[in-house]
Amino acid sequence: MHPMLNIAVRAARSAGKVIMQATEQLDKVQIEQKGSNDFVTSVDQEAEQTIIAVIAKAYPHHGFICEESGKSGNADSEYQWIIDPLDGTTNFIKGIPHFSVSIALQVNGKTEQAVVLDPVRDELFTATKGVGSQLNSYRTRASKAKDLKGTIIATGFPHKNKHYKESYLNIFSDMFEETADMRRSGSAALDLAYVAAGRVDGFWEIGLKPWDTAAGELLVKESGGIITDFTGGHGHVNSGNIVAGNPKVVKAILGKIRPHLTPALSR
Ligand code: IPD
Ligand code: CA
Ligand code: CA
C-alpha cells in the first residue's frame, strides 16, 4: 500500500472509532444547525480533528481542505487532503447505521489516494490512482450494465437546496420508469463507493461538495467507471452536479437528465 494511503487509512480508522463510540451515547451528542436542513455535531468536529492530527503528524507540511474547519496547514503545498469526517450526519443523528469517513489526497489538484470507510460494517474502500480500487483488499469493479434496464440507481435528494425540487423530481420520474429501483442512502461518499463495488449501477445528485465526492470519484474511476456533470462534461468539480457509473450507464442517465436541464443544472 502507498505510504500516504496507509496514513489515510489510519486516520479514517481513528475517526471511525470516535464516531462509533459516540453512537453508543447519541443523547450526549451536541447538534447545531449550520444551514438549511444542514447539521453539524460535536462528533463531526472531533472526528475531523482526529484525522488532521494523524495526517499532520506524518506530513507536517501538507494542507487540508475540510468540511467543518475549512482550510488549514500549508495552503501552498502541492499535497492537499480533502476531508469529510462524517458523511451522512443526518443518518448518524437519527441512529440510522449508514455513514462514512471520506479522505482524499490531491497532488497538484489531482486525486491520487482515496479512502472511504464505513465504520458500522467495517468496510474499507481504498484507491490509488493508476493502481486500482479495493474493498477490504479485494479488487472492486463497477457494474457491467448496458442501459438502465434492471439497474439500481442511487441518488441523493436536494434537501439543502429545495428550489431544485421540481427539476429533481422530473428527472427522477423519467429515470424511475426505466430502472429496476432507486436508492437514497444518505451518504454520497458511500453511494460512490457502492458504484465502484458494483453494488449499485449508477449514482446522481445535485450540488454536492468536494469533500463528499473527492475520494469516491477516484474509487469509481479506478473501478472502470466515469464521473461527469449533468451535460457529460467536467463541471461537476465546481457545481457538484454529479453522475457516476460505467460509461453506458452514465450515458443512459444523462439521456434522462437532458430534457430537464436548466442553466443551473448545466454547470
Ligand atoms: C451529505 C450526504 C448526503 C447528501 C448531502 C451531503 P453530510 O453529507 O452525503 O447523502 O445527500 O447532500 O451533504 O452533510 O452528511 O456530510
Ligand atoms: Ca458530506
Ligand atoms: Ca460531513
Side-chain angles (χ1 to χ4, degrees):
M1 189 183 277
H2 189 285
M4 291 185 185
L5 183 61
N6 199 25
I7 293 297
V9 169
R10 191 181 301 168
R13 288 206 186 281
S14 302
K17 269 193 205 120
V18 169
I19 297 166
M20 291 312 289
Q21 265 164 18
T23 59
E24 284 161 30
Q25 286 186 303
L26 260 188
D27 50 322
K28 295 231 165 73
V29 173
Q30 292 159 31
I31 306 169
E32 266 173 58
Q33 186 155 1
K34 60 177 175 177
S36 167
N37 297 310
D38 194 4
F39 301 93
V40 57
T41 73
S42 43
V43 179
D44 297 60
Q45 285 154 347
E46 198 189 324
E48 186 165 292
Q49 289 311 314
T50 303
I51 295 167
I52 294 174
V54 172
I55 297 173
K57 194 169 170 218
Y59 301 110
H61 305 299
H62 289 190
F64 298 92
I65 302 171
C66 304
E67 177 174 14
E68 308 308 342
S69 57
K71 292 187 178 174
S72 61
N74 181 359
D76 296 327
S77 170
E78 55 186 323
Y79 296 94
Q80 297 293 327
W81 294 85
I82 319 293
I83 297 165
D84 189 339
L86 175 44
D87 184 59
T89 296
T90 305
N91 282 348
F92 169 76
I93 291 170
K94 291 288 186 186
I96 298 171
H98 189 83
F99 39 77
S100 60
V101 179
S102 174
I103 303 177
L105 172 63
Q106 293 190 343
V107 184
N108 294 318
K110 293 233 162 14
T111 304
E112 295 208 345
Q113 311 293 340
V115 175
V116 174
L117 173 71
D118 172 348
V120 176
R121 300 174 183 84
D122 198 23
E123 289 192 321
L124 179 73
F125 299 86
T126 52
T128 295
K129 189 167 182 240
V131 175
S133 140
Q134 292 87 27
L135 161 54
N136 291 344
S137 306
Y138 290 94
R139 189 73 198 258
T140 56
R141 285 181 211 288
S143 132
K144 297 221 165 4
K146 293 192 168 61
D147 50 37
L148 291 179
K149 224 173 120 223
T151 57
I152 304 289
I153 303 295
T155 183
F157 303 139
H159 63 114
K160 295 174 194 168
N161 296 296
K162 289 199 177 168
H163 54 279
Y164 287 128
K165 184 183 73 182
E166 206 178 312
S167 306
Y168 179 84
L169 290 175
N170 287 333
I171 297 168
F172 185 99
S173 172
D174 281 4
M175 215 180 297
F176 186 60
E177 284 287 330
E178 248 177 74
T179 61
D181 205 350
M182 309 280 264
R183 291 287 182 273
R184 195 292 188 249
S185 83
S187 167
L190 276 181
D191 291 332
L192 288 165
Y194 279 26
V195 171
R199 290 176 173 176
V200 294
D201 300 282
F203 170 65
W204 65 288
E205 185 160 343
I206 298 172
L208 287 169
K209 300 289 183 200
W211 41 81
D212 299 316
T213 60
E217 176 164 3
L218 186 64
L219 295 174
V220 170
K221 286 182 179 162
E222 288 297 326
S223 303
I226 59 168
I227 308 258
T228 72
D229 62 19
F230 285 5
T231 69
H234 299 298
H236 61 284
V237 180
N238 295 315
S239 68
N241 300 331
I242 188 168
V243 179
N246 78 35
K248 287 183 177 141
V249 167
V250 167
K251 193 174 168 215
I253 294 176
L254 292 174
K256 297 296 172 193
I257 293 177
R258 197 169 301 120
H260 306 291
L261 278 176
T262 60
L265 293 180
S266 306
R267 288 184 280 133

